[in-house]
Amino acid sequence: MVTVALPDTWVYALRLPHDPRAARVARMTVRAALHGHGMREVLDTVELLTSELVTNAYLHGKGPSSLRLTALGGGRLRVGLWDGCPRIPPPFDRPTGERVPLVPPDSETGRGLYLVQRYADAWGGWPLGGDLLGRGAGKLLWFEVGRRAMEHSV
């Protein structure tokens, strides 16, 4: 009998409409995918950070967004979110490891993306496209988790 080993690399993609319910749909999708692939140790972190990215895309954008989950192997996961807004917010506009200051305690916004620098192992953002008139194709924000767990197991 032949035994089939499941791959530890995979990709899921989800197109999200500009809708206030998109963050909930993204959370449910992340939960199902990670649970199905046995990645329970990063599930809560990925669900939280994905929700923050999707919510910001809805609040600051005008169109749809796309979510992509990529298992990189070795227990690492990369989550990317494309949206049509070209502005790259902190901490994605800085190299991984360079921290942005906390928002003032009385501020009503700005805490969500701080969570990325607190809980993700790596992150980044890229503007996409662009022409002579300054029109772009939006941006891609991404984060990775699972690297710390992998380093501690060595």
Side-chain angles (χ1 to χ4, degrees), residues 1 11-12 19 24 33 49 57 68 81 96 100 109 125 128 130 133:
M1 180 191 305
V11 176
Y12 287 90
D19 185 293
R24 180 172 184 268
L49 300 182
R68 184 178 181 104
L81 185 78
T96 295
V100 295
T109 62
L128 301 175
L133 299 175

Side-chain angles (χ1 to χ4, degrees), residues 114-131:
Y114 173 77
L115 294 172
V116 172
Q117 74 179 15
R118 174 70 174 95
Y119 294 108
D121 297 319
W123 61 82
W126 297 297
L128 301 175
D131 60 21

Side-chain angles (χ1 to χ4, degrees), residues 38-124:
M39 297 185 78
R40 291 172 188 85
E41 67 280 356
V42 297
L43 197 149
D44 291 335
T45 298
V46 173
E47 187 177 17
L48 171 67
L49 300 182
T50 299
S51 183
E52 291 297 333
L53 293 185
V54 174
T55 298
N56 283 337
Y58 171 74
L59 292 174
H60 302 290
K62 295 182 175 151
S65 59
S66 293
L67 178 68
R68 184 178 181 104
L69 305 173
T70 305
L72 302 170
R76 293 181 312 137
L77 181 76
R78 180 178 294 145
V79 176
L81 185 78
W82 167 86
D83 69 49
C85 178
R87 184 174 103 51
I88 301 196
F92 295 96
D93 62 345
R94 300 171 189 213
T96 295
E98 186 177 323
R99 303 295 184 187
V100 295
L102 287 173
V103 297
D106 58 342
S107 178
E108 293 185 19
T109 62
R111 289 179 186 81
L113 294 178
Y114 173 77
L115 294 172
V116 172
Q117 74 179 15
R118 174 70 174 95
Y119 294 108
D121 297 319
W123 61 82

